[in-house]
Amino acid sequence: ALINAHRKLSDYFFKIDDSPYYVWASILDPCITYKGLCDDCAADDESTRSQIDSLKNNLHVLYKADYATTVAQDRALSPSASMGRHADVLDGRKSPSKVNFTVRYKKRSNLSVDEFEEYLKLPQEDFDLCDPIQWW
């Protein structure tokens, strides 16, 4: 029974080793961070460092594909929808929806900020004082 239990645990540990989620969670944890993981690697352990870099790049690609595009679309849609139309109420009656035709000429910033890269620049939080769940 002990040997069977050991084999079963070995199967689970193998699955953990193949999953990127544990490293991704460590990168996103404000107490551990990407820099903290890299600092923990020994100077002569290039394979671990390259694996961490590869997993960070995979997380960045996932962020760009699944999150950054939806945030950019939401930002592009919301200013024009909220600034362009007004509905007035006069004497209890609604007037037709008015269009602010000058809104298209309003200067908008085209700054493209990669939030993932900005997050990686944040300093590492104190492990004893920071609650990652509350931090997020």
Side-chain angles (χ1 to χ4, degrees):
L2 186 60
I3 292 173
N4 288 337
H6 184 269
R7 286 184 186 149
K8 193 63 164 176
L9 282 175
S10 294
D11 291 343
Y12 285 111
F13 283 123
F14 177 73
K15 290 179 182 182
I16 289 172
D17 288 342
D18 286 346
S19 175
Y21 299 116
Y22 299 99
V23 176
W24 289 354
S26 298
I27 290 171
L28 295 176
D29 187 317
C31 300
I32 299 171
T33 71
Y34 168 71
K35 185 181 179 320
L37 286 175
C38 291
D39 290 347
D40 281 346
C41 290
D44 59 343
D45 193 3
E46 282 300 316
S47 67
T48 302
R49 174 64 190 251
S50 66
Q51 184 180 13
I52 292 171
D53 286 339
S54 174
L55 289 170
K56 179 194 75 122
N57 291 336
N58 292 347
L59 179 59
H60 195 192
V61 167
L62 181 73
Y63 164 78
K64 284 182 178 179
D66 292 346
Y67 177 74
T69 55
T70 58
V71 169
Q73 288 171 354
D74 290 345
R75 286 183 184 161
L77 293 176
S78 81
S80 62
S82 64
M83 292 187 296
R85 300 201 170 263
H86 304 283
D88 295 329
V89 177
L90 299 173
D91 298 328
R93 297 177 300 175
K94 284 188 176 182
S95 66
S97 201
K98 297 179 183 176
V99 176
N100 182 354
F101 66 91
T102 62
V103 76
R104 70 178 339 167
Y105 300 107
K106 182 176 176 156
K107 188 173 183 172
R108 293 186 189 138
S109 62
N110 290 331
L111 296 176
S112 178
V113 177
D114 187 343
E115 291 181 21
F116 182 78
E117 288 297 331
E118 290 299 313
Y119 175 76
L120 293 179
K121 292 177 187 176
L122 292 175
Q124 190 172 358
E125 296 287 328
D126 186 345
F127 203 84
D128 293 328
L129 301 177
C130 179
D131 177 12
I133 304 296
Q134 192 130 35
W135 189 89
W136 281 102

